[in-house]
Amino acid sequence: MISIAIANQKGGVGKTTTAINLATALAATGHRTLLIDLDPQGNASTGLGVQVRDRKRSSYDLLMGDCTIDDAVIRSLVPGLDIIPATQDLSGAEIELIEVEQRTHRLLNALQSAGTHRWNVCLIDCPPSLGLLTVNAMVAVQSILVPLQCEFFALEGLSQLLQTFERIRARFNEDLSILGVALTMYDRRNRLTEQVAEDVRACLGDLVFKTVIPRNVRLSEAPSHGVPALIYDMRCAGSEAYMALARELIEKLPKAEVAA
């Protein structure tokens, strides 16, 4: 199973929107997909129509060792896409995990002990921070995907994330790699947007996906209906961009592992 953390410590860059719609696109192309919601806000869970009352077990229980992946996983409305939802209990996990043995490897241990052959791909929606939840995600995965909003301050956040990435790789996960950077909230009418995109591509080269995700009202509306944008309006510019991004992502994945 290929595992990918969708991470950026800056909020509002499109992490959850990217996680939901990439997971949906992967499932739609025949890849059995698991989405783990590791954000205390639980927006990925809400965006896939999982009501709070239905989150009997969550990623918090998984991290604390109170349940297995099989106990926590829920089938979403999207065929081929399962989710482990998040609850507000995750808000206290950062403090609780400090006293727990192997606190940086809790998610990895849970994934290794599960029958992950059920899925081809696992995506993890990380919180907007570089705390223990995000560290757990980075330790548990093979690669990270970074959604990057096309604005000046996003570049500063990217440098901090890359520093954390290097520390995690040096101390805990030497096989960790950057799958790519996805430019989000792209507005062709804004010169600054184009300048940021050019700077990121000049700095990171082929690590930056060719597909850019535009600002699109349908992407914002879809979560309120509890469905991914790809289902809410599959022909909108945002949905078409995420399908293109999914195709790029699939091309970067090891074919043997994806097909396993």
Side-chain angles (χ1 to χ4, degrees):
M1 181 178 72
I2 299 293
S3 51
I4 304 165
I6 299 177
N8 190 326
Q9 79 277 13
K10 189 176 186 301
V13 300
K15 281 191 305 298
T16 298
T17 299
T18 297
I20 291 172
N21 288 290
L22 274 184
T24 301
L26 287 167
T29 53
H31 297 84
R32 302 185 309 277
T33 306
L34 172 65
L35 175 60
I36 301 178
D37 190 350
L38 213 59
D39 187 342
Q41 297 177 84
N43 290 336
S45 307
T46 302
L48 281 175
V50 181
Q51 302 296 321
V52 174
R53 64 177 179 271
D54 296 325
R55 304 175 198 181
K56 307 300 183 185
R57 295 289 190 177
S58 68
S59 53
Y60 168 81
D61 300 301
L62 194 65
L63 286 172
M64 302 310 296
D66 295 332
C67 76
T68 66
I69 283 183
D70 288 337
D71 295 329
V73 72
I74 296 174
R75 288 185 180 179
S76 77
L77 297 175
V78 180
L81 174 57
D82 296 332
I83 181 171
I84 294 178
T87 61
Q88 290 185 347
D89 292 335
L90 271 178
S91 300
E94 298 275 0
I95 297 175
E96 294 178 55
L97 285 172
I98 292 175
E99 304 297 328
V100 175
E101 185 178 354
Q102 289 192 309
R103 60 181 179 270
T104 59
H105 288 65
R106 304 294 291 185
L107 186 57
L108 174 63
N109 293 340
L111 285 171
Q112 288 180 336
S113 63
T116 51
H117 59 277
R118 291 171 54 186
W119 303 285
N120 304 124
V121 183
C122 172
L123 300 182
I124 302 176
D125 184 28
C126 296
S129 73
L130 294 177
L132 273 173
L133 294 177
T134 300
V135 169
N136 260 272
M138 288 189 179
V139 171
V141 301
Q142 291 123 359
S143 57
I144 64 173
L145 187 155
V146 184
L148 185 71
Q149 185 178 2
C150 293
E151 64 172 32
F152 174 73
F153 289 120
L155 294 176
E156 291 186 343
L158 178 62
S159 66
Q160 295 172 15
L161 179 65
L162 294 178
Q163 290 172 11
T164 300
F165 162 79
E166 291 295 347
R167 287 196 292 267
I168 296 296
R169 187 164 65 172
R171 293 188 59 187
F172 303 121
N173 186 358
E174 64 181 13
D175 296 324
L176 184 65
S177 65
I178 298 177
L179 184 63
V181 174
L183 298 175
T184 62
M185 303 180 185
Y186 189 88
D187 187 349
R188 297 184 187 279
R189 299 168 299 177
N190 189 328
R191 176 57 190 160
L192 177 61
T193 292
E194 292 189 0
Q195 185 62 57
V196 170
E198 291 171 6
D199 290 347
V200 174
R201 292 189 190 281
C203 179
L204 298 178
D206 291 340
L207 276 180
V208 184
F209 288 100
K210 294 177 183 177
T211 302
V212 296
I213 308 301
R215 286 191 178 276
N216 181 250
V217 67
R218 293 302 207 190
L219 293 178
S220 301
E221 290 175 352
S224 66
H225 296 271
V227 294
L230 287 172
I231 292 177
Y232 181 63
D233 185 352
M234 66 178 297
R235 290 185 173 83
C236 73
S239 294
E240 291 180 348
Y242 272 117
M243 283 299 295
L245 182 62
R247 287 192 290 269
E248 275 196 76
L249 184 150
I250 291 168
E251 285 299 313
K252 290 191 173 191
L253 300 181
K255 298 298 183 291
E257 293 190 49
V258 173

